[in-house]
Amino acid sequence: MKIVFFGTPEFAVHTLEKLLNHSEFEVLAVVTQPDKRRERGNKLMPSPVKVIATAHNLPVWQPERVKKDTETLTQLKQSDADVFVVVAYGQILSSKILNMPKLGCINVHGSILPKYRGAAPIQWCLYNGERETGITTMLMDAGMDTGPMLQIATTPIGLLDNAQDIANRLAVIGGDLLVETLLKLERQEIQPIPQDNLAASYAPLIQKQDYGLDWSKSAIELHNQIRGFYPNCTATFRNNLLKITASAPLGSVGNPDLPPELQELVDKLSDLSNVSDRPGVVVSIAKGIGAIIQTGEGLLLLREVQLAGKRPQAGWDFVNGTHLTVGEVFGAGS
């Protein structure tokens, strides 16, 4: 099967490698986003997908706007590919492109469709506290992730999983599922299933304001925001911006998803729940673990934080390094 692969970030790398290492597939070329300048050194850096493609001596096409780039459109048409595979490419494909390959365009999407259509399915899934997610392979149409579904694979979400953890897991699942999907599609063993539009939800691009933490929210809401938008959620501490990169919601009721050491902490602190009427106050410090903050409902343990200009550090190291004391107050982020 002759394939042109569209993809850009690390999430797409495993799928490309699975195709390259499979005897039934021939990757003809790779389409990826143009090289971008990184903050440090301002050097042009290739996408992770381009790095892999270059290592395998594949043609790499990097149009600024694939729908308008006549050279790339000509190359795609002349490739005579059986299928285009799209994994987190980052640009919308026109109907003209979608209609080029014999078997159509297959997208590997990071959610259980029709839920979480759009650009950031993993992040919003965690933000909303879902307990399960997965990968859907689908035939692309002109809509935003609205095409008929081919196959679905699911995975549970643990209470302490963050967006990076889930992305790493789904990248592997996605590569395996795509291979299975392509082989079944070629043998005509799959019947595409239309999506139920009434059950659809959307996962838009994350905006800067989504990162700010509001301590009047509940502990579980804040925790889901921190892990969903990892590693960028912010609070203020002593008038400086502070990133909170890992947390755990604590409360008087046992949570079977908490690891044993944190469940023991919950049992010891059950009488502390809502001890302060001021969200953001440090109500306790767990020795060897980190600070415990009052929220609008319940307590939140800070497991990992990052001071401006510093590397992420464990919550206990932050307590020791700043000489944090009970009664200090964390402010909202921005």
Side-chain angles (χ1 to χ4, degrees):
M1 184 183 291
K2 296 184 292 182
I3 298 168
V4 173
F5 185 88
F6 292 70
T8 299
E10 190 67 36
F11 182 77
V13 165
H14 183 79
T15 303
L16 176 58
E17 289 179 328
K18 290 287 289 189
L19 295 175
L20 290 169
N21 293 325
H22 200 290
S23 60
E24 302 246 355
F25 306 127
E26 179 187 0
V27 180
L28 305 174
V30 164
V31 186
T32 190
Q33 294 276 52
D35 295 356
K36 293 190 176 180
R37 296 193 182 278
R38 305 302 180 196
E39 291 182 7
R40 293 185 180 180
N42 201 32
K43 293 182 179 179
L44 276 175
M45 298 293 291
S47 72
V49 162
K50 181 181 178 180
V51 171
I52 299 300
T54 302
H56 285 81
N57 298 312
L58 292 172
V60 178
W61 306 329
Q62 296 179 271
E64 289 284 349
R65 296 185 64 194
V66 67
K67 295 191 293 185
K68 302 290 186 179
D69 192 290
T70 54
E71 181 180 356
T72 302
L73 290 172
T74 299
Q75 290 169 321
L76 288 170
K77 185 67 174 177
Q78 291 178 346
S79 71
D80 197 32
D82 296 305
V83 65
F84 293 166
V85 168
V86 183
V87 188
Y89 170 48
Q91 295 189 40
I92 295 173
L93 305 187
S94 64
S95 296
K96 183 176 182 179
I97 295 173
L98 295 175
N99 292 328
M100 284 182 184
K102 301 178 183 68
L103 297 175
C105 293
I106 309 298
N107 178 233
V108 178
H109 185 74
S111 79
I112 304 171
L113 290 172
K115 296 183 72 173
Y116 301 105
R117 296 171 176 173
I122 295 170
Q123 292 88 339
W124 288 106
C125 177
L126 285 166
Y127 178 85
N128 289 326
E130 301 282 3
R131 304 295 295 271
E132 182 183 62
T133 187
I135 289 287
T136 304
T137 52
M138 54 169 281
L139 279 171
M140 296 176 69
D141 61 14
M144 174 65 74
D145 301 322
T146 56
M149 301 177 293
L150 297 171
Q151 288 190 284
I152 294 174
T154 64
T155 186
I157 299 174
L159 181 66
L160 301 185
D161 285 336
N162 65 32
Q164 188 61 60
D165 299 327
I166 298 300
N168 291 342
R169 195 184 311 161
L170 290 183
V172 175
I173 293 171
D176 295 341
L177 188 66
L178 176 72
V179 167
E180 182 182 331
T181 298
L182 291 177
L183 293 175
K184 287 186 175 181
L185 195 65
E186 188 177 38
R187 300 171 192 146
Q188 298 183 329
E189 295 175 356
I190 292 182
Q191 182 65 42
I193 302 171
Q195 293 188 42
D196 179 1
N197 291 327
L198 295 178
S201 61
Y202 291 87
L205 282 170
I206 299 164
Q207 305 298 322
K208 184 179 179 181
Q209 61 265 27
D210 294 322
Y211 297 135
L213 297 173
D214 176 358
W215 297 104
S216 67
K217 291 182 178 180
S218 70
I220 188 64
E221 287 175 317
L222 289 164
H223 173 67
N224 287 339
Q225 183 179 358
I226 290 163
R227 67 194 185 122
F229 300 152
Y230 172 87
N232 296 310
C233 286
T234 59
T236 52
F237 174 70
R238 296 176 184 172
N239 296 319
N240 293 309
L241 205 62
L242 174 75
K243 284 187 177 181
I244 299 178
T245 50
S247 59
L250 307 178
S252 58
V253 179
N255 189 325
D257 288 341
L258 280 174
E261 64 275 15
L262 293 187
Q263 188 57 58
E264 289 178 12
L265 180 61
V266 169
D267 297 339
K268 293 177 182 177
L269 296 172
S270 59
D271 59 336
L272 280 178
S273 185
N274 294 310
V275 298
S276 169
D277 60 0
R278 184 177 181 185
V281 171
V282 180
V283 297
S284 183
I285 293 174
K287 188 174 181 180
I289 304 177
I292 298 170
I293 314 298
Q294 179 67 59
T295 72
E297 181 183 346
L299 305 175
L300 189 72
L301 171 68
L302 306 189
R303 296 170 50 232
E304 184 183 85
V305 303
Q306 184 176 4
L307 292 159
K310 304 291 185 180
R311 294 178 180 272
Q313 60 182 159
W316 182 241
D317 293 335
F318 170 70
V319 168
N320 285 331
T322 61
H323 305 289
L324 184 69
T325 59
V326 170
E328 289 200 66
V329 180
F330 286 77
S334 60

